[in-house]
Amino acid sequence: MGQGGVALRGRLAAARGAWLIFEDEAGFSMTPPQARAWSQRGRTPVVRVRGRSRRRISIAALTCYKPGHRPRHDDGNRDGRKSFSWRDYRDLLIAAHQQLGGPIVLVWDNLNVHKAADLREWAATRDWLTIYYLPPYAPDLNPVEGIWSLLRRGWLSNVAFSTPEHLVQRIRRGLRHIQYRNHLIDGCLAETGLTINP
């Protein structure tokens, strides 16, 4: 077996007992997502928005699963329109590894920055990290999409954000709420149709 085969066997051995982590990113704007609301018959509920802001909040989130452990999620945010750099993803993975205290099998999409040469070189030197890519155009296989849906349908829907800070506060409150409700994070995985076996 060549050197590549030995490295692959070593990574697979390290992946046993690892946390399975899914990653995705989303952008949120000051315009509130609309959701159904109830009101008295004949009175249409109206959410007034004071002004149009082009300010966007970018967030990357992780859902973390391991048999015998409670599911978790973590996030990192970047204000403004600037997207995440490969260093931002590196730092997010380092923080996740430190918090979880074990090897990580990461599953994410084919975003250009996920395949950046610098990030791939960095990942190749980490024996605690194994990376897999989702098939193109397969958001239904990523449980983090469920986290975004919960945020948009719940904590962010029908809210007139007064400032960008107000939007960030609501996002953080929603993510904290989800973080401490294991059944919501498990439900996001179940929605994909994927299962995790020990």
Side-chain angles (χ1 to χ4, degrees):
M1 180 178 282
Q3 187 176 4
V6 172
L8 175 62
R9 189 170 49 180
R11 283 197 181 266
L12 291 174
R16 289 192 195 109
W19 285 88
L20 178 60
I21 294 181
F22 293 86
E23 187 277 341
D24 193 41
E25 46 290 309
F28 297 90
S29 71
M30 293 286 290
T31 304
Q34 296 177 357
R36 287 182 174 251
W38 297 98
S39 69
Q40 293 178 346
R41 182 177 220 139
R43 295 189 182 189
T44 303
V46 176
V47 177
R48 299 198 187 280
V49 180
R50 287 193 186 148
R52 297 284 178 194
S53 172
R54 294 179 184 245
R55 181 90 183 263
R56 290 184 60 80
I57 308 299
S58 296
I59 297 186
L62 307 171
T63 55
C64 312
Y65 304 94
K66 184 176 181 181
H69 293 76
R70 74 175 186 84
R72 301 177 62 163
H73 96 83
D74 195 7
D75 63 89
N77 67 26
R78 173 159 309 281
D79 296 345
R81 288 188 173 270
K82 183 180 175 188
S83 60
F84 287 88
S85 72
W86 76 267
R87 289 180 184 87
D88 295 321
Y89 288 110
R90 176 200 63 195
D91 295 346
L92 183 61
L93 293 172
I94 289 170
H97 175 61
Q98 291 172 346
Q99 288 179 16
L100 298 172
I104 291 172
V105 174
L106 174 67
V107 181
W108 58 9
D109 60 23
N110 291 279
L111 193 66
N112 288 345
V113 70
H114 291 169
K115 293 190 168 188
D118 290 331
L119 184 58
R120 291 174 80 134
E121 286 174 24
W122 173 82
T125 63
R126 303 300 177 267
D127 61 353
W128 50 265
L129 179 62
T130 305
I131 298 177
Y132 291 98
Y133 296 92
L134 289 166
Y137 310 112
D140 52 322
L141 295 178
N142 194 334
V144 183
E145 294 287 348
I147 301 292
W148 304 142
S149 179
L150 288 169
L151 271 178
R152 287 189 172 106
R153 287 183 293 131
W155 294 271
L156 303 182
S157 65
N158 299 335
V159 176
F161 302 112
S162 53
T163 63
E165 292 73 25
H166 182 207
L167 172 60
V168 170
Q169 180 186 41
R170 292 290 293 203
I171 291 170
R172 286 186 174 150
R173 186 177 301 152
L175 289 173
R176 268 197 310 271
H177 182 86
I178 294 167
Q179 184 174 14
Y180 294 110
R181 283 156 181 83
N182 298 346
H183 67 283
L184 293 177
I185 303 172
D186 279 335
C188 291
L189 179 65
E191 192 67 26
T192 66
L194 302 173
T195 58
I196 298 175
N197 296 320

